[in-house]
Amino acid sequence: VFVAFKFQLEHLVENPGMFDGGHDKRHGLGRQAGSSRSRGRLGRAVRSRNLRLSAIRTFFRYLALYDPDRLGQVTQVMAIPVKRQEKKLVGALTREEMDALLAAPDRSIWGGRRDHALLLTMYNTGARVSEMTTLRREHVRLGATSYIELHGKGRKERTVPLWPHTAHILEAWFKEPAKTSTCTVAFPNARGHQMARDGVEYLLRQAVKKALPVCGSLAGKRGLAAYLAPHDGDALGPSGS
């Protein structure tokens, strides 16, 4: 936002005439913010256009306080609507596809048991990848009512119930010897430290590769992270490729 706001201020300083009469300020500023039709010509996506419009509105709110004579112009600018952005629907994996992915990790080794527990928890909770990599063991409550405490963006917290099967897998996983005495993350890497996003991407790609021979339909599912963790969107990219 700061970059867009700085750009608008520089433009206004270099073009003071935009405040003078003789042309439609509202429509001129609307074009300055960009439009969905200009995306191909100027490379401005709808989100970028709305970001610049937000910066312009911030400036004009400031202008209204220090130059009340411009209130009419400010009202026109504030009336410029934001562009609506099309949202892609997140698809879903079939039960067979999900079972194939969960069965892919080799559970006879430590890494495979971790990968299985992580993928199952992501599937159960719909958590973001960042929420999974930073998850601590104390955030998982196992008992008569099992649930997980997730800490997401903007310090938002939410509690998600766990299926009995997920709780059973996590209970067994937490009994595994810790890689280090200070390891507190629920799904550490091989060195006992917090996993990186690339590490989760790698294990997901490996699971897809192993599952393809028994479930060929996974080959057509791109962006598998969005199926496992819908809150994370395209965080892991085209995992199905």
Side-chain angles (χ1 to χ4, degrees):
V1 175
F2 173 77
V3 174
F5 186 52
K6 181 175 181 292
F7 172 85
Q8 298 302 336
L9 288 180
E10 289 175 349
H11 184 80
L12 293 174
V13 171
E14 294 173 359
N15 301 274
M18 70 185 302
F19 289 113
D20 297 335
H23 67 280
D24 191 331
K25 288 90 170 175
R26 178 187 171 197
H27 290 168
L29 286 171
R31 288 193 297 272
Q32 173 64 23
S35 67
S36 58
R37 290 191 299 272
S38 67
R39 178 176 180 177
R41 183 165 54 88
L42 298 177
R44 294 173 182 166
V46 175
R47 180 179 298 179
S48 298
R49 183 265 187 196
N50 290 338
L51 184 63
R52 290 188 174 184
L53 178 58
S54 176
I56 293 174
R57 285 177 168 178
T58 299
F59 175 79
F60 274 85
R61 279 195 292 267
Y62 169 85
L63 187 65
L65 294 175
Y66 290 90
D67 193 352
D69 293 339
R70 306 259 184 204
L71 190 58
Q73 183 182 8
V74 171
T75 302
Q76 284 185 315
V77 172
M78 298 303 292
I80 299 175
V82 297
K83 289 286 184 181
R84 292 192 175 185
Q85 186 174 8
E86 294 183 1
K87 294 184 177 180
K88 295 182 179 179
L89 293 177
V90 177
L93 293 175
T94 65
R95 182 62 179 270
E96 291 74 18
E97 291 169 341
M98 196 63 239
D99 287 343
L101 279 177
L102 293 176
D106 182 0
R107 297 170 65 183
S108 66
I109 59 176
W110 181 89
R113 292 190 292 273
R114 179 206 61 192
D115 296 351
H116 175 76
L118 189 153
L119 291 175
L120 179 60
T121 305
M122 287 180 67
Y123 176 49
N124 185 159
T125 63
R128 294 181 175 89
V129 174
S130 59
E131 292 173 330
M132 284 290 95
T133 57
T134 58
L135 182 69
R136 306 288 171 178
R137 294 193 176 203
E138 60 265 26
H139 296 155
V140 180
R141 311 293 183 177
L142 302 174
T145 302
S146 298
Y147 60 93
I148 188 172
E149 299 172 352
L150 296 174
H151 303 265
K153 292 182 178 179
R155 298 182 180 180
K156 293 181 180 178
E157 300 181 2
R158 65 184 189 278
T159 301
V160 183
L162 294 174
W163 302 325
H165 178 61
T166 306
H168 174 74
I169 292 296
L170 287 175
E171 184 178 13
W173 166 244
F174 289 157
K175 292 179 180 178
E176 296 269 353
K179 287 290 183 178
T180 65
S181 58
T182 58
C183 180
T184 60
V185 291
F187 305 107
N189 60 21
R191 295 181 297 278
H193 303 303
Q194 178 178 313
M195 290 185 68
R197 182 181 295 269
D198 289 345
V200 180
E201 177 179 3
Y202 175 77
L203 73 86
L204 180 55
R205 289 184 186 276
Q206 290 298 108
V208 172
K209 183 178 179 180
K210 293 181 180 179
L212 277 175
V214 296
C215 189
S217 60
L218 286 170
K221 298 293 179 70
R222 297 180 62 83
L224 278 175
Y227 296 97
L228 281 173
H231 289 113
D232 219 14
D234 56 352
L236 297 185
S239 301
S241 61

